[in-house]
Amino acid sequence: MAMLAATVAMGIASYHIFDLQPLYGFLLAIALAAVLTLPVGLVEAVSNFQYGLGVITELIAGYT
């Protein structure tokens, strides 16, 4: 948890230092990864099949 907090803090700091916009994209990526970790892990644990989330994340990012 300390590593997660440190990397998120460094990511937010880099947004402010390099004046990158919008910050909500970074926070959306973190939230999406946090939400989809459990379902992806369950599918892989049960079926031994790992699928990519590229299409799902591109659809969500394109919608926003």
Side-chain angles (χ1 to χ4, degrees):
M1 293 306 286
M3 180 76 82
L4 174 65
T7 55
V8 169
M10 287 188 289
I12 291 173
S14 68
Y15 263 81
H16 290 297
I17 290 171
F18 295 112
D19 197 30
L20 300 172
Q21 296 298 330
L23 182 61
Y24 71 85
F26 177 70
L27 298 177
L28 178 66
I30 293 171
L32 185 64
V35 168
L36 292 178
T37 297
L38 183 63
V40 170
L42 286 173
V43 167
E44 186 173 357
V46 171
S47 66
N48 196 23
F49 176 73
Q50 183 178 14
Y51 60 91
L53 297 174
V55 175
I56 296 171
T57 54
E58 288 172 5
L59 284 172
I60 293 172
Y63 181 73
T64 60

